[in-house]
Amino acid sequence: MNKKLLFLLVLLLTATTGAVAQTETLLTTITATAKEQASYSTANVATVSFSYTAGGSSAYLANWGWWGYGWTATVTAAEGYTITKCIFYDDANRTATDSEAPFVAETTEEDKTPRINGTPIDGGNYQSKGLKKIEVYGYVTPTATQYSVTLAEGTEDATNWTISPAKAAESSPVTVTYKGTKKVKSVKAVKKAKAYTLLSAATTSDQGKVVCAAGHLHDAKTAVPDGCTAVGILGKVTETGHGLILSLKDAPQQNWNTINGWASASYAGTTLKVLTDAARGTNLTSYTALGETAVSNWAVAQQSDYVAIFENLGSTTGTISDGKTYDGNVNAYITGVGGTEIFGKCWSATEEGGNYARYFRSSNWSVENKLESFNVRPVLGF
């Protein structure tokens, strides 16, 4: 049987731009035909416009084009094209290249020789009799988003399906034709899952995003897709693929001496104090990898690390001497994906003399006796 289905809404699978690649090519050659005129080898690609300086004049030679005193000829791209360079030819095929917009040839009020960026096209020998042609190079400018339309994996009798066009703009019709012998019950248009950035490719521009157990980075303050488990907030990136993830929940309260007794681990250019199995409690899961990225187990970070995380998450609270601490901006990242906001006093791994260590709270950083039990908001180093 032949089943032909016409969709008024495009099948949304993979979004692409209108121009696949921005490779410089020869777009058109503009050939002089007469005074202030040009012919186009490709329609609606580029135009030449003229202007004259005070007291200027223009003579004309049909074979050589624009020739006279005090004029400029400016090449501009038509809509949908980007010019990267123009090569100007004079009557004897001498050339000059302009690789920066605006693309202009000009003469002075004293000299008819075309000049490109101030340099005579004939090298200053007063031999040129005007421009003969202009080669225009560039690429098609990406326009509206298009969508690649493909069959889902596992589609039966896939070789008997055709899709036209294979790429279409939003709201454009797409025709799906089946030429096999099976009965078609339904065709469903769905958007293909977004290709998320991997934690291993994280950069500073990803700070604030949600990290899931698969090692994907998801949009900040939004729930992760079905099938993903949110782990924490990407709070600090020290270099591509290395940094710290802030936990969505607290570990049980600990005194600092207990924390100091945990093993140390070096991650993201800092020393972390790694929680033991018992210290993680019921709120946290132990991780050694998120997707393809090796990570520490949950750990307590240094004061400088927490300060950097809070700054990256937009905190406005803290002091000049000690740096930022958590506030509502920080907690918005956490609660936005179902985490528990930071509250109360929380230990860092930073020691302050023999009996004291550094902790943070919602108003400032301070020191306290190591025997005190405070909250712990762990991080993962990667």
Side-chain angles (χ1 to χ4, degrees), residues 245-290:
I245 300 164
L246 184 66
S247 172
L248 298 179
K249 296 183 179 181
D250 282 331
Q253 289 190 346
Q254 313 282 340
N255 69 54
W256 197 90
N257 284 329
T258 300
I259 294 171
N260 193 46
W262 299 337
S264 296
S266 180
Y267 271 85
T270 190
T271 300
L272 308 175
K273 285 291 187 178
V274 179
L275 279 69
T276 62
D277 289 342
R280 283 192 296 272
T282 58
N283 279 343
L284 301 175
T285 302
S286 177
Y287 290 100
T288 56
L290 298 179

Side-chain angles (χ1 to χ4, degrees), residues 297-349:
N297 285 330
W298 292 112
V300 180
Q302 302 294 322
Q303 175 179 343
S304 59
D305 298 316
Y306 284 115
V307 167
I309 290 171
F310 298 148
E311 287 180 346
N312 292 335
L313 300 185
S315 175
T316 60
T317 302
T319 64
I320 295 176
S321 59
D322 287 324
K324 295 291 192 293
T325 183
Y326 69 88
D327 65 359
N329 291 335
V330 174
N331 279 326
Y333 283 91
I334 298 168
T335 59
V337 292
T340 302
E341 66 180 20
I342 307 174
F343 69 98
K345 299 177 180 179
C346 300
W347 282 122
S348 75

Side-chain angles (χ1 to χ4, degrees), residues 19 38 114 156 172 217 229 242 283 295 300:
E156 291 188 37
S172 297
L217 300 177
T229 301
H242 295 284
N283 279 343
V295 299
V300 180

Side-chain angles (χ1 to χ4, degrees), residues 28-285:
T28 187
T29 299
I30 302 174
T31 303
T33 58
K35 177 182 175 181
E36 302 178 19
Q37 293 179 5
S39 63
Y40 301 84
S41 58
T42 304
N44 301 321
V45 174
T47 59
V48 177
S49 58
F50 295 86
S51 63
Y52 296 90
T53 60
S57 63
S58 178
Y60 123 72
L61 295 172
N63 292 332
W64 297 324
W66 318 286
W67 188 47
Y69 294 107
W71 55 257
T72 62
T74 304
V75 184
T76 55
E79 184 178 357
Y81 294 88
T82 296
I83 297 175
T84 55
K85 72 179 179 184
C86 290
I87 301 178
F88 297 86
Y89 290 76
D90 75 354
D91 58 293
N93 282 324
R94 290 175 285 254
T95 64
T97 301
D98 191 354
S99 298
E100 184 176 351
F103 304 96
V104 179
E106 59 186 346
T107 66
T108 67
E109 294 187 34
E110 296 78 26
D111 180 11
K112 298 177 182 179
T113 303
R115 297 170 182 266
I116 314 299
N117 292 322
T119 301
I121 198 169
D122 63 0
N125 295 316
Y126 302 101
Q127 298 173 344
S128 179
K129 295 182 179 179
L131 295 179
K132 180 179 181 179
K133 66 179 180 180
I134 306 170
E135 291 180 345
V136 181
Y137 291 80
Y139 54 84
V140 177
T141 304
T143 54
T145 299
Q146 291 188 332
Y147 294 89
S148 298
V149 187
T150 59
L151 293 173
E153 292 184 11
T155 300
E156 291 188 37
D157 212 11
T159 57
N160 282 313
W161 291 88
T162 58
I163 301 172
S164 181
K167 288 185 179 181
E170 188 173 358
S171 299
S172 297
V174 173
T175 300
V176 181
T177 304
Y178 176 67
K179 295 182 178 180
T181 58
K182 297 180 180 294
K183 182 178 181 179
V184 178
K185 293 183 177 180
S186 65
V187 177
K188 183 180 181 181
V190 296
K191 189 171 183 178
K192 193 173 183 179
K194 180 180 178 181
Y196 296 101
T197 302
L198 291 174
L199 183 62
S200 58
T203 65
T204 53
S205 64
D206 296 309
Q207 290 170 164
K209 290 186 176 180
V210 190
V211 184
C212 78
H216 301 159
L217 300 177
H218 304 279
D219 291 340
K221 304 177 186 177
T222 59
V224 297
D226 291 342
C228 294
T229 301
V231 171
I233 308 300
L234 181 57
K236 176 183 177 182
V237 176
T238 54
E239 60 179 297
T240 300
H242 295 284
L244 296 173
I245 300 164
L246 184 66
S247 172
L248 298 179
K249 296 183 179 181
D250 282 331
Q253 289 190 346
Q254 313 282 340
N255 69 54
W256 197 90
N257 284 329
T258 300
I259 294 171
N260 193 46
W262 299 337
S264 296
S266 180
Y267 271 85
T270 190
T271 300
L272 308 175
K273 285 291 187 178
V274 179
L275 279 69
T276 62
D277 289 342
R280 283 192 296 272
T282 58
N283 279 343
L284 301 175
T285 302

